[in-house]
């Protein structure tokens, strides 16, 4: 039977992909990566809670060197996060995307996860991507996943593939899928910050709460 290594940030997309993979192919490991992001503490807590609920093996990995690459408000507390973004305005979203862009983050994370997948004999690495954000984040797209799969075919002995259940879906569709899967939504952490509650002002919170309302 196929197995997967899931990159789990505890956001809506990765959590839904965890549940989908759990039902579809089975999850050999859920991997949380601390790359120095502001929300790391809360993300890890929630990711671990989802895995405990599903009985999935969980591992947290420290890759804080990624923060040293600089340039992102997600990893540099001295940089101001973009808040209250006009999320239906493509140009405003592009500016926000530049504000939070972490150099080659998804490329690095997927390659690390693929190493674990190969070692565990798993066939897939599964991130949480979506169609909505692929408009401003090219590393959220199906084209990126296809290119990663082609690359991993050379770099892993068992030809691990990159797979995602939500690349073709908008956020409201993903939230509805979460309800269908009986996802424990209290364990979702969509916020770029690591406070006691969601800030509800960062772009990630804005998209999450709009999706929830529309779903």
């Amino acid at each position: 039977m196929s197995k997967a290594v899931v990159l789990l940030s505890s956001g809506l997309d990765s959590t839904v992909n965890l549940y989908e993979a759990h039902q579809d192919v089975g999850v050999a490991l859920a991997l949380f990566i601390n790359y120095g992001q502001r929300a790391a503490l809360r993300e890890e807590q929630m990711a671990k809670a989802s895995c405990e609920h599903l009985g999935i093996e969980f591992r947290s990995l420290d890759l804080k060197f990624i923060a040293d690459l600089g340039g992102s408000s997600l990893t540099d507390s001295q940089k101001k996060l973009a808040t209250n973004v006009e999320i239906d305005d493509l140009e405003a979203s592009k500016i926000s995307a530049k504000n939070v862009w972490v150099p080659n983050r998804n490329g690095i994370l997927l390659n690390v996860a693929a190493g674990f997948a190969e070692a565990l004999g798993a066939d897939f690495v599964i991130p949480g991507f979506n169609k909505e954000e692929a408009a401003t984040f090219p590393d959220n797209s199906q084209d990126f996943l296809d290119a990663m799969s082609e690359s991993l075919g050379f770099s892993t002995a068992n030809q691990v593939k990159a797979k995602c259940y939500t690349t073709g879906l908008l956020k409201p569709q993903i939230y509805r899928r979460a309800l269908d899967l009986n996802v424990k939504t209290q364990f979702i952490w969509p916020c770029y910050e690591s406070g006691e509650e969601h800030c509800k002002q960062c772009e990630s919170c804005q998209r999450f709460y709009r999706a929830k309302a529309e779903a």
Side-chain angles (χ1 to χ4, degrees):
M1 181 180 177
S2 298
K3 288 279 187 179
V5 171
V6 176
L7 279 168
L8 182 62
S9 71
S10 79
L12 173 64
D13 306 331
S14 70
T15 303
V16 167
N17 275 275
L18 178 74
Y19 276 71
E20 291 277 19
H22 182 58
Q23 283 194 4
D24 184 30
V25 296
V27 179
L29 177 69
L31 190 61
F32 172 79
I33 296 182
N34 183 337
Y35 57 90
Q37 69 271 40
R38 293 172 183 248
L41 178 63
R42 296 294 276 150
E43 286 180 356
E44 182 175 1
Q45 288 173 343
M46 297 303 179
K48 188 175 182 180
S50 286
C51 289
E52 287 176 348
H53 171 68
L54 293 173
I56 290 171
E57 183 178 350
F58 173 83
R59 178 165 178 171
S60 177
L61 199 63
D62 186 339
L63 295 183
K64 291 179 186 173
F65 75 87
I66 293 173
D68 296 336
L69 301 175
S72 175
S73 62
L74 287 189
T75 56
D76 185 351
S77 60
Q78 301 304 308
K79 291 178 70 73
K80 188 177 185 301
L81 275 171
T83 56
N84 298 314
V85 178
E86 292 291 336
I87 55 178
D88 290 321
D89 183 330
L90 182 59
E91 292 307 311
S93 291
K94 285 180 178 178
I95 293 170
S96 177
K98 287 181 180 179
N99 178 263
V100 298
W101 180 265
V102 178
N104 197 27
R105 179 188 61 179
N106 286 343
I108 295 169
L109 269 54
L110 277 165
N111 270 286
V112 169
F116 280 92
E118 180 180 351
L120 293 168
D123 298 295
F124 303 105
V125 286
I126 299 181
F129 296 160
N130 68 84
K131 183 178 180 180
E132 192 169 311
E133 288 171 308
T136 50
F137 292 95
D139 63 349
N140 263 236
S141 66
Q142 186 60 49
D143 285 345
F144 174 68
L145 283 175
D146 293 342
M148 281 299 307
S149 291
E150 185 175 356
S151 173
L152 294 174
F154 291 96
S155 64
T156 57
N158 60 334
Q159 298 185 314
V160 172
K161 291 180 173 55
K163 176 183 177 71
C164 180
Y165 296 93
T166 57
T167 44
L169 302 179
L170 300 174
K171 287 277 191 177
Q173 295 172 302
I174 298 171
Y175 198 97
R176 283 193 287 273
R177 186 61 187 148
L179 298 178
D180 291 341
L181 291 165
N182 294 314
V183 169
K184 293 288 185 183
T185 55
Q186 65 266 38
F187 298 148
I188 291 174
W189 189 262
C191 188
Y192 285 152
E193 299 279 14
S194 198
E196 287 299 313
E197 298 179 351
H198 305 157
C199 76
K200 298 185 180 180
Q201 294 182 323
C202 69
E203 184 173 355
S204 184
C205 274
Q206 287 180 262
R207 291 187 184 279
F208 174 78
Y209 278 97
R210 180 174 71 175
K212 182 179 180 180
E214 290 185 10

